[in-house]
Amino acid sequence: MLLALAGACAGEPEETGPSSSLDEAEAGERVEEHITDAVEALPGEVELEDVGNGLVSASCETDPLITVSRSYWLRGLPEADIEQNVDLLVEHWEGSGFAVTGDLRPDDTFVTVENEEDGFTMTVAASVQGSLSIDASSPCIDPSGTD
C-alpha cells in the first residue's frame, strides 16, 4: 500500500527522486499554463475565480519532494451546458497529450487526466451548486529543481 502511494506521486513505484527537473516556481508556471490552455477550449468569456487557496505546495511521500497545484472556479458558463463543457475539455486534453485517468460520468461530473509528457494532472468537476472547477497539479518535484 505504501509503495503504491509513493508511486502515485513519484511516477514509477520504485522511483524515489523527482519526476520533473522543474523547480517550485517553474512548476507553478506550468500549472497556470495548463489551466489557461484548457480554458481556451471553452466557449465564450470564462472567468477564473480562485477557489481560495492560491498556488499550493504540498509534501509528497518522499521528503523533501513537493507537488504544486492550483484550483479555480470556471465562471460565466451556463449551468445547462456543464456536460457539453466537460466534453469540450476532455476532447481538448485528449488532443493535447493528456490521457484520461479517471472519469466518473454519468454518476458524477468528475474527470481526471494526466499529461503524458510532463506528468502534470488536471481535473474538472461540477459542484452540487452547478459550478465547474478546474485544477492542475505537478508531479513530485524538488523545490529547488534538478539539473
Side-chain angles (χ1 to χ4, degrees):
M1 176 80 170
L2 289 177
L3 192 58
L5 289 174
C9 191
E12 306 271 344
E14 63 275 356
E15 186 178 336
T16 57
S19 298
S20 172
S21 62
L22 299 177
D23 65 25
E24 189 171 2
E26 292 166 333
E29 290 171 13
R30 180 81 52 91
V31 160
E32 296 291 351
E33 288 170 10
H34 280 310
I35 290 171
T36 300
D37 187 50
V39 170
E40 288 176 358
L42 296 171
E45 296 285 326
V46 179
E47 274 188 55
L48 294 175
E49 179 185 320
D50 194 2
V51 168
N53 301 328
L55 199 59
V56 176
S57 298
S59 296
C60 289
E61 289 288 319
T62 307
D63 197 38
L65 301 182
I66 62 167
T67 185
V68 179
S69 62
R70 182 90 189 241
S71 299
Y72 290 102
W73 292 112
L74 299 175
R75 301 296 187 203
L77 296 170
E79 186 177 338
D81 296 341
I82 284 178
E83 290 304 321
Q84 178 185 0
N85 287 319
V86 171
D87 288 343
L88 286 171
L89 285 171
V90 171
E91 183 179 305
H92 166 76
W93 284 326
E94 289 177 332
S96 301
F98 285 84
V100 175
T101 57
D103 189 343
L104 302 181
R105 298 176 296 168
D107 298 329
D108 196 11
T109 305
F110 189 92
V111 180
T112 303
V113 296
E114 181 175 345
N115 186 288
E116 297 170 325
E117 276 189 37
D118 64 16
F120 280 65
T121 58
M122 296 191 73
T123 301
V124 63
S127 70
V128 294
Q129 293 83 15
S131 296
L132 283 179
S133 65
I134 191 169
D135 70 64
S137 298
S138 74
C140 289
I141 61 164
D142 185 305
S144 302
T146 59
D147 292 327

